[in-house]
Amino acid sequence: MDDSKPKSLNFLEEIIQQNLASGQYSNGIFTRFPPEPNGYLHIGHAKSICLNFGLALKFGGKTNLRFDDTNPITEETEYVEAIKKDVSWLGFTWENELYASNYFEQLYQFAVDLIKKSLAYVDDSTAEQIAAQKGTPTSAGTESPFRNRSVDENLTLFKEMRDGIHADGAKVLRAKIDMAHANMHMRDPLMYRIRHMAHHRTGNAWCIYPMYDFAHGQSDSIEGITHSICTLEFDVHRPLYDWFIEKLTIFPTHQYEFARLNLSHTVMSKRKLLQLVNEKIVHGWDDPRM
């Protein structure tokens, strides 16, 4: 093998090189590594870490470490500290340490903006009813009976959700898009749910929490992320990612997908690893089999 030949660029490097050559990002590129602090990282996360930080380093950009802490049921400060230690151990330094919870007020105001534009509504349907309304990949969904509430009613109910007046599961906020859309993620997806539970950073300040698909793209936009890089299973989520940004008329960050790392005979899921720990199939997170 002739090592003197320059290595070809991967598709993400080609995209970034073209973006920079066109002057699209005169201030340089900005990536982010956005783990949910609900478990310890595994080798699959190492690929994402090296990719996000590595691309920024190669092209003179910056990378944020942003914790996607929108689910207080599963998240703990212990995992935050462990993730920071792992990223540092891999040799990377982040530009900013940030949290989705930093943006809870701004995300709430984004949701209010969508309600005012008649693009979001409060739904009293149960989780089972909402699932049934979604339809199937080959058949259209059905509209919720609460879909055409007035803007004023939705604003009042959404504030009541925030004020803790309603119980967990009593109401959700949904985007109003298209219940017949070929992509089921576009069939009036959930934006907020009620959870009366203390958050590891915000305590009891909030009892409504944004869903990943609503919080993620807007967090990227707030931070000015130019290249939001994630794994291929989020490809079908990209139209919704773009829809929120377009309707809110905020910084147009863009999502790019890459193939996730898989190893045979290896568990590659924080959720499944946590199950092994909780069910005492292994001795703990430091069990060598992990």
Side-chain angles (χ1 to χ4, degrees), residues 276-277 280-290:
L276 293 176
V277 173
K280 301 189 184 305
I281 295 171
V282 294
H283 298 307
W285 284 106
D286 57 354
D287 189 306
R289 292 171 292 177
M290 295 285 278

Side-chain angles (χ1 to χ4, degrees), residues 7-273:
K7 293 181 179 179
S8 60
L9 300 178
N10 63 46
F11 81 100
L12 290 170
E13 292 171 332
E14 288 178 349
I15 289 170
I16 293 172
Q17 188 176 71
Q18 292 166 8
N19 292 157
L20 292 174
S22 70
Q24 184 175 354
Y25 300 114
S26 57
N27 294 325
I29 70 163
F30 221 132
T31 63
R32 82 290 171 271
F33 176 58
E36 184 179 355
N38 62 353
Y40 292 92
L41 301 186
H42 53 66
I43 194 169
H45 293 100
K47 177 178 180 179
S48 180
I49 293 168
C50 291
L51 186 59
N52 278 286
F53 282 90
L55 287 170
L57 285 171
K58 181 167 185 174
F59 293 97
K62 300 174 182 177
T63 303
N64 283 342
L65 175 61
R66 183 178 74 237
F67 293 94
D68 175 30
D69 57 343
T70 59
N71 185 359
I73 292 176
T74 60
E75 297 158 359
E76 296 181 20
T77 302
E78 171 190 350
Y79 299 138
V80 169
E81 296 305 317
I83 290 169
K84 288 162 58 177
K85 183 178 179 181
D86 286 346
V87 174
S88 297
W89 181 81
L90 284 170
F92 298 112
T93 302
W94 47 89
E95 181 69 13
N96 302 293
E97 178 185 326
L98 299 169
Y99 299 79
S101 55
N102 291 353
Y103 313 128
F104 278 174
E105 183 62 42
Q106 195 161 359
L107 292 170
Y108 177 84
Q109 295 302 328
F110 282 157
V112 168
D113 186 25
L114 291 175
I115 292 173
K116 290 179 177 178
K117 293 177 178 178
S118 294
L119 295 173
Y121 63 97
V122 174
D123 195 339
D124 298 1
S125 302
T126 65
E128 293 75 19
Q129 289 169 332
I130 291 174
Q133 291 165 12
K134 289 277 189 176
T136 71
T138 56
S139 63
T142 55
E143 293 185 357
S144 165
F146 305 99
R147 195 174 196 265
N148 295 313
R149 278 174 158 156
S150 69
V151 168
D152 287 343
E153 184 180 8
N154 282 315
L155 288 172
T156 297
L157 292 172
F158 190 46
K159 185 176 185 303
E160 288 179 0
M161 288 170 60
R162 175 177 180 165
D163 291 344
I165 293 174
H166 303 287
D168 289 10
K171 298 180 187 297
V172 295
L173 184 72
R174 297 175 69 177
K176 187 189 290 187
I177 307 180
D178 181 0
M179 290 304 293
H181 201 288
N183 184 336
M184 293 185 68
H185 292 284
M186 300 293 282
R187 296 183 185 179
D188 290 12
L190 270 60
M191 294 170 56
Y192 272 88
R193 74 285 212 203
I194 302 171
R195 286 201 169 148
H196 290 272
M197 176 171 286
H199 185 276
H200 75 107
R201 294 188 71 245
T202 61
N204 293 307
W206 292 86
C207 61
I208 57 170
Y209 293 94
M211 303 298 291
Y212 173 88
D213 277 334
F214 180 62
H216 192 70
Q218 282 58 258
S219 297
D220 284 344
S221 183
I222 291 167
E223 294 172 20
I225 300 302
T226 59
H227 297 76
S228 179
I229 301 166
C230 57
T231 46
L232 275 174
E233 66 263 33
F234 291 99
D235 174 63
V236 291
H237 296 251
R238 179 157 28 99
L240 180 56
Y241 183 102
D242 293 340
W243 186 89
F244 280 128
I245 287 174
E246 175 191 348
K247 299 306 180 184
L248 290 166
T249 62
I250 54 180
F251 177 79
T253 186
H254 189 78
Q255 177 178 297
Y256 302 90
E257 302 86 21
F258 68 94
R260 64 183 296 167
L261 179 66
N262 286 308
L263 298 176
S264 60
H265 309 294
T266 303
V267 178
M268 301 287 283
S269 163
K270 275 192 292 165
R271 178 176 56 81
K272 293 178 180 176
L273 290 169

